[in-house]
């Protein structure tokens, strides 16, 4: 079943890609092939392989149960939030929060997670910023 | 002779304090990453590329750092195979078969140092192979025009799934997806934006580093979250390392095995679509057929440890041949190394040898240096590396995730790229669940633009005649190989894969009782 859905999504993707290729505005100065031809070939490969996947599906993988799926979803959300809040909070705080969350959800006790998260953040800051001189996001506090 | 003097020049470049230090650092980090289950050579190199890049290292120093990581990870994979029966990375799978039984017999130290020496022999011979073979391949490659290059790229994609691929449709899908991603952005030939949907961030395309780090490193984090691997700690296993140095007679009895396996592994590495995993598999099965007369393979035979390790390290060296000489990588990790070169603005291929010989020979000299360092590091410091295995993944994975973020943020300083990277992480996780290989996607994002440019150049030269693609015997040959390479696994793939699995399961059963 998973592969059927995957094949169908792939086919939609291929069609969308082909459509987006067809509406590319061509410049008046163009080579013999133009900017559309290659993407259309790729769209064809994408579409054909999606069809094969759809009609000859493999055995479905073990999808995690709903709680685990939520777990992964929450981690994705945390990472996106991290990406957005990084310039607002500054590197050290944002990283400590995100690392603490991930460590906690991977099965560490809350207190050790907090310690480990803060150490991770400070450690990366020390190695990459103080020693190696990489510029990291600066928050309102300057770190 | 010319080769030797170039090599000497290479050593002059590589033997500076900074480069030696980088090689040492790379070897150390690489061995650690190889040893930790879940972080293979591709992951290791992928995480470190953005860092090498943002640290402002020059081309040769970054290459030295990252290839040391590559060789180091190939060495490191064996440690957890032998001690825990968990392969540290895919090529080290075969090392479990005899390495773990040896460790159970109290010969873990011997197994570790023997496999270290075997790795050294394999990598050392393969580096010589690289020196001898790559310049020859360059001579052939200089005959290639755009049409041949287009065919060569197609060949690379067609064979990437490898002989052990079970579903070629998924490999093709992955390749097309990767190439499709590469076409996002302003068209290099006519200057019109493509697939950008008006988003300014997409005008210069999707940075392949963002894609690589997301697909490899972050998807690993999601996999861990899903299974909550926190319990995969090493705490339950107490293995005594025992005597460290193998006896001379043992080394002597393994020497023919190492030499044969290095040769086979090197060949497997050079050929497209094989790579290190297959190198160690071929080396092990061949050796088993040839010398295993008493049926001791699988019960802790030292030769069964030496063969796959020499094989996989030789394959790692062999895989560098097509990558450097043609610019077309044959395996996942060399694809990541190609990303290193491209992000340093170095285009690998035949011209690299003539135009930037310092980079090539500096790199080759660095491989020798790294190899010696790894040998020295891997025998006395083995205790340190075994202790690394005790760090539980629940602490380690968040660090991996955060370092990935730091690397990508360091390049562009934009939150947008980080969000895109998370997106790639999710994509990588879903695709891995669906058994879609990730390497073709990476290779697609790396080579997509070059492939399109060569196609358009070939056809423009012939005034829009599409038959220009199959105009020369060379390109017809490449196309034929591509078709065969794509179709072969459909016929034989299931057989090969089933045999690998069957063997692994057999041995597991044998070690349990």
């Amino acid at each position: 079943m998973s592969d059927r859905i995957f094949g169908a999504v792939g086919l939609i993707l291929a069609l969308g890609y082909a459509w987006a290729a067809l509406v590319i505005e061509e410049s008046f100065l163009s080579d013999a092939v133009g900017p559309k031809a290659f993407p259309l070939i790729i769209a064809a490969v994408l579409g054909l392989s999606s069809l094969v996947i759809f009609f000859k599906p493999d055995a479905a993988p073990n999808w995690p149960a709903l709680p685990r799926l939520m777990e992964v979803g929450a981690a994705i959300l945390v990472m996106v939030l991290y990406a957005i809040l990084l310039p607002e909070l500054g590197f050290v705080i944002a990283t400590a929060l995100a690392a603490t969350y991930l460590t906690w959800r991977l099965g560490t006790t809350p207190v050790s997670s907090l310690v480990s998260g803060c150490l991770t953040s400070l450690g990366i800051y020390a190695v990459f910023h103080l020693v190696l001189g990489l510029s990291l996001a600066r928050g309102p506090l300057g770190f | 002779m010319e080769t030797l003097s170039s090599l000497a020049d290479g050593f002059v470049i590589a033997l500076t304090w900074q480069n030696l230090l980088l090689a040492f650092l790379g070897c150390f980090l690489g061995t650690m990453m190889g040893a930790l289950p879940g972080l293979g050579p591709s992951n290791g190199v992928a995480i470190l590329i953005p860092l090498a890049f943002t640290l402002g290292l020059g081309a040769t120093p970054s290459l030295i750092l990252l290839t040391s990581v590559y060789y180091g990870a190939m060495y490191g994979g064996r440690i957890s195979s032998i001690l825990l029966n968990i392969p540290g990375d895919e090529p080290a799978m075969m090392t479990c078969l005899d390495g773990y039984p040896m460790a159970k017999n109290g010969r873990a130290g011997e197994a570790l140092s023997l496999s270290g020496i075997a790795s050294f022999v394999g990598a050392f011979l393969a580096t010589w192979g690289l020196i001898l073979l790559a310049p020859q391949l360059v001579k052939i490659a200089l005959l290639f025009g755009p049409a041949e290059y287009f065919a060569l790229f197609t060949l690379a994609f067609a064979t990437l799934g490898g002989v052990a691929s079970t579903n070629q449709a998924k490999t093709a899908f992955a390749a097309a997806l990767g190439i499709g991603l590469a076409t996002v952005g302003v068209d290099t030939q006519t200057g019109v934006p493509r697939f950008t949907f008006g988003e300014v961030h997409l005008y210069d395309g999707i940075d392949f580093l963002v894609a690589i780090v997301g697909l490899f490193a972050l998807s690993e984090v999601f996999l861990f979250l899903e299974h909550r691997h926190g319990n995969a700690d090493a705490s339950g296993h107490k293995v005594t390392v025992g005597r460290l140095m193998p006896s001379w007679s043992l080394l002597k009895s393994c020497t023919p095995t190492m030499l044969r396996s290095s040769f086979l592994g090197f060949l497997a590495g050079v050929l497209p679509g094989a790579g290190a995993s297959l190198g160690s598999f071929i080396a092990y099965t061949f050796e088993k057929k040839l010398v295993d007369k008493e049926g001791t393979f699988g019960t802790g035979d030292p030769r069964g440890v030496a063969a796959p390790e020499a094989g996989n390290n030789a394959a790692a060296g062999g895989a560098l041949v097509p990558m450097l000489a043609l610019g077309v990588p044959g395996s996942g990790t060399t694809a990541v190394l190609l990303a290193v070169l491209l992000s340093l603005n170095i285009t690998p291929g035949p011209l690299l040898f003539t135009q930037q010989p310092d980079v090539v020979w500096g790199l080759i000299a660095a491989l020798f240096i790294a190899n010696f360092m790894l040998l020295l590091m891997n025998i006395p410091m083995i205790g340190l590396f075994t202790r690394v295995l005790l760090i539980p993944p629940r602490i380690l994975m968040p660090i991996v995730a955060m370092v990935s973020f730091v690397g990508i943020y360091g390049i562009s300083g934009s939150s947008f790229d980080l969000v895109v990277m998370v997106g790639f992480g999710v994509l990588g996780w879903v695709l891995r669940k669906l058994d879609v290989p990730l390497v073709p996607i990476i290779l697609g994002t790396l080579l997509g633009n070059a492939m399109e440019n060569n196609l358009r150049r070939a056809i423009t030269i012939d005034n829009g005649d599409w038959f220009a693609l199959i105009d020369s015997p060379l390109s017809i040959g490449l196309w034929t190989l591509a078709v065969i390479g794509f179709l072969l696994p459909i016929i034989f793939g299931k057989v090969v894969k089933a045999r690998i699995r069957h063997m692994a399961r057999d041995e597991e059963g044998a070690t349990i009782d």
Side-chain angles (χ1 to χ4, degrees):
Chain A
M1 194 57 213
S2 295
D3 267 7
R4 301 243 183 221
I5 299 172
F6 175 47
V9 172
L11 199 59
I12 295 168
L13 183 72
L15 290 174
Y17 184 71
W19 173 78
L22 285 172
V23 298
I24 294 170
E25 271 184 59
E26 286 201 44
S27 140
F28 59 94
L29 261 177
S30 184
D31 55 335
V33 182
K36 291 179 186 176
F38 185 71
L40 286 175
I41 298 172
I42 297 304
V45 176
L46 205 59
L48 280 177
S49 47
S50 301
L51 279 178
V52 175
I53 294 167
F54 184 83
F55 285 111
K56 281 188 70 184
D58 290 342
N62 284 330
W63 288 103
L66 192 64
R68 289 275 103 194
L69 214 54
M70 299 272 285
E71 192 77 67
V72 175
I76 295 168
L77 190 71
V78 167
M79 286 188 193
V80 172
L81 278 178
Y82 172 74
I84 295 168
L85 290 178
L86 189 62
E88 314 291 327
L89 294 177
F91 176 81
V92 175
I93 297 173
T95 306
L97 289 176
T100 304
Y101 175 81
L102 287 177
T103 318
W104 174 50
R105 289 324 302 163
L106 281 167
T108 319
T109 54
V111 180
S112 344
S113 306
L114 190 66
V115 174
S116 158
C118 291
L119 284 180
T120 304
S121 170
L122 290 173
I124 293 177
Y125 186 77
V127 173
F128 291 108
H129 184 73
L130 301 179
V131 178
L132 299 175
L134 205 68
S135 61
L136 300 171
R138 264 165 173 268
L141 301 175
F143 54 80
Chain B
M1 220 46 245
E2 192 194 339
T3 315
L4 285 183
S5 72
S6 315
L7 186 61
D9 289 342
F11 271 104
V12 173
I13 296 164
L15 283 171
T16 64
W17 282 112
Q18 189 205 14
N19 289 346
L20 284 177
L21 192 73
L22 285 172
F24 179 79
L25 195 71
C27 292
F28 183 77
L29 286 175
T31 313
M32 278 202 350
M33 290 186 176
L36 292 162
L39 273 180
S42 330
N43 274 327
V45 181
I47 296 171
L48 289 177
I49 304 172
L51 293 175
F53 194 50
T54 40
L55 289 176
L57 293 177
T60 316
S62 333
L63 271 179
I64 289 176
L65 174 70
L66 293 163
T67 44
S68 306
V69 172
Y70 172 56
Y71 264 34
M74 287 291 171
Y75 268 76
R78 73 191 207 284
I79 299 177
S80 58
S81 298
I82 292 173
L83 293 179
L84 308 176
N85 204 16
I86 307 167
D89 48 25
E90 207 192 329
M93 210 160 73
M94 306 305 290
T95 315
C96 289
L97 302 183
D98 274 286
Y100 187 61
M102 253 183 109
K104 287 190 89 177
N105 299 340
R107 298 169 73 191
E110 267 181 284
L112 284 170
S113 53
L114 176 66
S115 56
I117 294 167
S119 301
F120 172 78
V121 173
F124 185 75
L125 292 178
T127 314
W128 275 110
L130 167 69
I131 293 177
L132 298 176
L133 192 60
Q136 308 309 316
L137 203 57
V138 163
K139 282 183 198 144
I140 301 173
L142 284 172
L143 303 172
F144 283 21
E148 284 80 12
Y149 263 107
F150 183 68
L152 183 69
F153 287 139
T154 319
L155 171 66
F157 282 111
T159 53
L160 201 59
V163 195
S165 151
T166 40
N167 193 337
Q168 287 291 69
K170 286 183 174 172
T171 312
F173 180 88
L177 186 66
I179 300 173
L181 285 169
T183 58
V184 173
V186 172
D187 175 29
T188 46
Q189 312 235 335
T190 57
V192 292
R194 299 191 291 183
F195 314 109
T196 54
F197 309 105
E199 174 70 63
V200 189
H201 288 290
L202 289 177
Y203 269 56
D204 23 301
I206 293 168
D207 191 335
F208 50 78
L209 290 179
V210 174
I212 291 176
V213 178
L215 283 174
F216 281 152
L218 281 191
S219 69
E220 194 72 46
V221 176
F222 291 133
L223 273 187
F224 263 82
L225 264 173
E226 181 200 333
H227 297 296
R228 203 184 251 190
H229 263 280
N231 48 9
D233 298 3
S235 49
H237 307 256
K238 266 276 182 284
V239 182
T240 41
V241 173
R243 165 196 176 122
L244 255 185
M245 274 312 285
S247 62
W248 277 112
S249 57
L250 181 67
L251 273 183
K252 224 166 155 186
S253 72
C254 290
T255 307
T257 301
M258 287 187 213
L259 296 180
R260 278 192 296 265
S261 305
S262 304
F263 179 71
L264 284 175
F266 181 71
L267 276 187
V270 174
L271 293 177
S277 311
L278 210 71
S280 64
F281 174 71
I282 292 173
Y284 186 85
T285 32
F286 181 77
E287 223 28 58
K288 191 176 157 113
K289 283 230 170 77
L290 195 71
V291 299
D292 184 26
K293 299 206 171 73
E294 296 96 44
T296 47
F297 268 53
T299 58
D301 189 317
R303 287 170 300 184
V305 177
E309 274 308 308
N312 91 38
N313 284 274
L320 289 173
V321 175
M323 202 274 277
L324 285 174
L326 303 175
V328 176
S331 70
T333 321
T334 39
V336 181
L337 283 176
L338 177 67
V340 179
L341 291 172
L342 292 179
S343 61
L344 293 165
N345 250 334
I346 298 169
T347 318
L351 293 180
L352 181 65
F353 281 74
T354 46
Q355 287 174 350
Q356 285 170 300
D358 52 322
V359 172
V360 178
W361 293 105
L363 171 68
I364 290 173
L367 289 176
F368 277 117
I369 296 170
N371 207 10
F372 275 101
M373 275 186 177
L374 281 164
L375 181 68
L376 293 178
M377 204 186 270
N378 264 278
I379 295 183
M381 286 167 74
I382 198 75
L384 181 69
F385 290 122
T386 53
R387 221 152 291 148
V388 170
L389 289 176
L390 297 174
I391 303 177
R394 62 194 157 85
I395 307 280
L396 192 80
M397 283 333 263
I399 300 181
V400 170
M402 290 301 136
V403 173
S404 317
F405 278 112
V406 168
I408 295 299
Y409 191 81
I411 294 179
S412 62
S414 98
S415 287
F416 180 80
D417 278 356
L418 294 185
V419 177
V420 173
M421 181 174 91
V422 177
F424 274 109
V426 179
L427 183 72
W429 175 66
V430 173
L431 292 179
R432 276 166 99 155
K433 296 289 301 177
L434 292 168
D435 216 10
V436 177
L438 297 181
V439 175
I441 306 183
I442 300 297
L443 201 59
T445 55
L446 291 172
L447 294 182
N449 286 324
M451 198 171 170
E452 177 173 14
N453 289 341
N454 278 304
L455 170 75
R456 288 164 76 167
R457 226 172 273 150
I459 292 168
T460 309
I461 292 170
D462 259 17
N463 292 322
D465 181 9
W466 283 76
F467 285 102
L469 293 179
I470 43 170
D471 229 9
S472 73
L474 205 53
S475 57
I476 294 173
L478 289 168
W479 281 106
T480 322
L481 281 179
V483 172
I484 295 173
F486 188 73
L487 293 180
L488 215 55
I490 299 180
I491 307 162
F492 293 115
K494 286 208 173 99
V495 185
V496 175
K497 196 142 193 166
R499 270 185 65 187
I500 297 183
R501 287 221 179 112
H502 183 70
M503 260 180 119
R505 205 177 307 124
D506 264 11
E507 303 302 338
E508 234 162 66
T511 49
I512 286 167
D513 49 46

